[in-house]
Amino acid sequence: MATRERCRPRGAQAASSTGACGRSQPAPPLPGARGRAAPGRAGPAALPGYPVAERPLRQSRRGGGGRRDGCGAAVAGRAQSGRGSLRSMVAPAALPAAGLFYWVGALGALYAAALASYRLLAGLRVWVLSSGAAAVGPALGAWAVVTGATDGIGKAYAQELARRGMKVVLVSRSKEKLDQVSTEIREKYKVETKVIVADFGEREIYNGIKAGLEGLEIGVLVNNVGMSYAYPEYFLDIPELEKTIDKMVNINITSVCEMTRLVLPGMLERSKGIILNIASASGMCPTPLLTLYSATKAFVDYFSQGLHAEYKSKGIIVQSVLPYYVATKMSKIRKPTLDKPSPERYVRAALGTVGLQSRTNGYLPHALMGWIVSLLPTSTAINLIMKTNKQIRARYFKKMKEK
Ligand SMILES: NC(=O)c1ccc[n+]([C@@H]2O[C@H](COP(=O)([O-])OP(=O)(O)OC[C@H]3O[C@@H](n4cnc5c(N)ncnc54)[C@H](OP(=O)(O)O)[C@@H]3O)[C@@H](O)[C@H]2O)c1
């Protein structure tokens, strides 16, 4: 009985298919075909080789079908006696619904198969063939500007763009580190560099940055600077909450908008340019215990997608880059692994997706992780992340106690 209830109504199953119960089933009724069935008998045109009315009759005998329906037909069915009249009343009501289920199911399966094939082909194009990737280099403009360029992902972008022959403007808060990275790049890649000292935690820095960028032909802007929490924490328990909110919004959100405001006009004049906004995979799904960070990254993702739609027809590419873990100071991961790559490895892969994906996880293992997460219902993903972040938080406090 339980098995039967899990199966679709028999009238809903296809002629050549195996039903949910593992048995071959006849074809569904053609729309309008039920009208051809003789009262009291399932006509061949309605369901070839299958007595449609048998099931409602058996349900009725068990007291199942009629009472469950709770509708006028069921009440009338009880009131009348005789097999033929019962058949003629239940069958017309059951068949359209069964046909509808069949077609909804079939179209749903078709849509899922088409979507899966499209994703597979798109994935092959990006990760295997890589043809069509935009040439990210000096042809776009002599200079690249990178924020948060003295460490991690930002430094790797600066190095890779210099390797491709671009001159690089490095923007960060520590003059000493800027000079060190600048010298490294100049010596290794034989390109010009420029440094701008700016703390993106502050709002009054943009006139200074504008002056520093004056007259430069900027082909690539990498909005990379970002800050996260020291450890996963409940919103109200974040140390120095008011200050943290202000800093995180300034660094993760305001910097992206303001740098775009300064650089995009020059790109539009030349009808070419690429803006790479480093968001985070945590911006793709609400991330409890990193709530504020995750929300700022969702902003970056949305901002990038909207901006790309606004300006792509004018020759500008805006890409939203959504990494999972990368081995940097921020993630506190020292040893790169396949799924937590070094910033250099990550950036090389991510640059290969420019022009192919306006929204990217940037690196094949991260793209697979993103795909798996996208299959989960959002509430399940949020619960899993909450559980994981609670564990990380507990480990952090344990470590702090031991110190
Ligand atoms: N690492 C990951 O696992 C991961 C994952 C997803 C997304 N992301 C995103 O990727 C971006 C880069 O992260 P990362 O891991 O490479 O970080 P990182 O290694 O900590 O490097 C951050 C860079 O930003 C600079 N910076 C930090 N605060 C600044 C401020 N207030 N003003 C100016 N410069 C500042 C740092 O300079 P100083 O040396 O002076 O501090 C450093 O150059 C961030 O937007 C982050 O949210 C990272």
Side-chain angles (χ1 to χ4, degrees), residues 9 21 62 107 132 140 163 197 307 310 316 326 354 378 381 403:
C21 298
R62 283 195 304 266
L107 288 175
L140 295 160
R163 193 186 70 77
V197 182
L307 205 66
E310 287 177 30
I316 313 297
V326 177
V354 178
T378 307
K403 274 191 179 175

Side-chain angles (χ1 to χ4, degrees), residues 127 157 319 321 345-354 360-363:
W127 302 112
Y157 267 109
Q319 190 186 50
V321 185
R345 187 169 188 192
Y346 179 82
V347 166
R348 267 199 307 276
L351 280 172
T353 69
V354 178
T360 183
N361 291 119
Y363 173 67

Side-chain angles (χ1 to χ4, degrees), residues 279-293:
S280 164
S282 71
M284 296 167 76
C285 175
T287 306
L289 302 186
L290 290 176
T291 298
L292 183 58
Y293 175 73

Side-chain angles (χ1 to χ4, degrees), residues 21 31 47 89 99-100 118 132 142 166 168 185 202 210 218 235 247 285 329 358:
C21 298
L47 280 178
M89 275 178 297
L100 184 71
Y118 171 77
M166 296 192 84
V168 190
I185 289 179
E202 310 292 328
K210 186 179 179 192
I218 299 166
F235 180 68
K247 261 181 89 176
C285 175
K329 209 173 70 181
S358 57

Side-chain angles (χ1 to χ4, degrees), residues 148 150-151 153 173 177 198-200 224 279 293 297 324 326 328:
T150 50
D151 236 316
I153 297 172
R173 64 184 158 185
K177 282 174 82 176
D199 183 345
F200 285 99
N224 163 77
Y293 175 73
K297 292 301 185 177
Y324 282 87
V326 177
T328 68

Side-chain angles (χ1 to χ4, degrees), residues 393-403:
R393 179 175 179 271
R395 276 203 301 273
Y396 173 85
F397 281 119
K398 193 170 165 222
K399 220 169 155 184
M400 286 296 114
K401 256 191 193 163
E402 286 165 6
K403 274 191 179 175

